[in-house]
Amino acid sequence: MTTVVVCAGGPKEELCSFEPYIKRNDVIFIGADRGSLYLIEQGIKPHAIVGDFDSLSQEEYQYVMEHANDAQRFREEKNETDTDLALLKALTYDPSDIVLTGVTGGRLDHYEAAVRSIYRLQIEYPLLVLKIINHANMLQFLVPGTHTIQADDRYRYLSFFAHEQPIQGVTLRHVKYETTNEEISLGSSRFTSNEIIGTLGSISFTQGICLMIRSID
């Protein structure tokens, strides 16, 4: 069971906390472009760094190279974003989980590209857990089936949205607002700001793709 944490180069204040991952022995850290520098500044030596590194000065680039075990530099003119390249690198470690941070709070096109990449990979690898996490939110796509959701004081609020098509047969249990065999339609905000009651909640549905967002108060 390996978790890969991918740090991209968005605004530093939007990053998730690395503390829960630093303490573990089963975590791989990958830096994407300026995200490599962010990891090193946190005292983390990345297992790998990738990107065109156009956001780093020459001095920063040399500093990052000195602290990298595995570095791959690409041309600026390429089909993939630096984040995509880092996610592809993450897959080579055969992970059970991939956490992506450093993609929110800055350029909206970069954020949208990251969300689409996570969505594409979730469809391609349905057993892989992929999350986008920043300082206040966790975003995750869910495929049809039953999903257990553990309560977490860091993310009190729980919201569900239909992605690309309506979600059918939605049943929510052990949450403040339970439902049975309902639909989440496209454009609906009805399933926003729920809360888990106890230690575990759950969502099950039969069709569609669910975008789940967990947020702090």
Side-chain angles (χ1 to χ4, degrees):
M1 303 290 285
T2 299
T3 296
V4 178
V5 176
V6 174
C7 182
K12 190 185 300 186
E13 61 271 14
E14 295 284 331
L15 297 177
C16 72
S17 171
F18 296 118
E19 185 175 354
Y21 306 104
I22 294 174
K23 300 176 181 179
R24 292 168 48 185
N25 296 321
D26 60 343
V27 177
I28 302 292
F29 290 95
I30 298 178
D33 203 271
R34 193 167 189 82
S36 308
L37 181 62
Y38 292 162
L39 289 174
I40 295 168
E41 289 175 340
Q42 293 278 339
I44 300 169
K45 185 172 184 177
H47 294 77
I49 62 174
V50 301
D52 54 32
F53 303 104
D54 62 346
S55 66
L56 297 178
S57 68
Q58 187 59 34
E59 292 76 15
E60 289 172 332
Y61 175 70
Q62 292 298 331
Y63 177 70
V64 164
M65 288 297 110
E66 293 170 1
H67 291 80
N69 292 318
D70 177 6
Q72 292 179 278
R73 187 171 192 177
F74 295 82
R75 297 174 55 186
E76 291 184 35
E77 297 79 15
K78 57 188 185 303
N79 293 326
E80 302 86 0
T81 66
D82 292 332
T83 298
D84 282 333
L85 293 172
L87 290 171
L88 290 173
K89 183 68 174 180
L91 292 173
T92 66
Y93 291 95
D94 192 25
S96 57
D97 303 76
I98 295 178
V99 172
L100 175 60
T101 192
V103 295
T104 63
R107 287 177 52 174
L108 290 179
D109 57 341
H110 285 176
Y111 167 69
E112 181 66 20
V115 170
R116 290 173 183 268
S117 295
I118 290 294
Y119 168 65
R120 183 186 70 251
L121 290 177
Q122 190 65 81
I123 298 303
E124 188 173 353
Y125 301 92
L127 299 182
L128 181 61
V129 178
L130 296 120
K131 299 174 181 177
I132 292 176
I133 304 180
N134 66 11
H135 70 295
N137 305 276
M138 177 190 298
L139 180 155
Q140 183 178 356
F141 287 102
L142 305 178
V143 298
T146 299
H147 302 269
T148 300
I149 310 166
Q150 188 162 4
D152 189 330
D153 291 338
R154 295 172 298 174
Y155 307 107
R156 176 181 174 185
Y157 295 103
L158 186 65
S159 301
F160 304 98
F161 304 95
H163 187 77
E164 292 195 342
Q165 59 180 298
I167 306 173
Q168 305 293 340
V170 179
T171 298
L172 295 170
R173 290 290 180 264
H174 305 294
V175 293
K176 188 173 182 179
Y177 307 106
E178 293 192 336
T179 66
T180 300
N181 196 31
E182 294 203 28
E183 176 185 285
I184 303 178
S185 60
L186 284 173
S188 173
S189 59
R190 178 189 164 199
F191 289 76
T192 304
S193 295
N194 214 327
E195 299 178 52
I196 295 174
I197 304 300
T199 58
L200 294 173
S202 70
I203 179 174
S204 62
F205 57 100
T206 57
Q207 184 177 335
I209 300 296
C210 178
L211 171 60
M212 179 176 73
I213 299 177
R214 304 186 66 175
S215 304
I216 66 172
D217 193 355

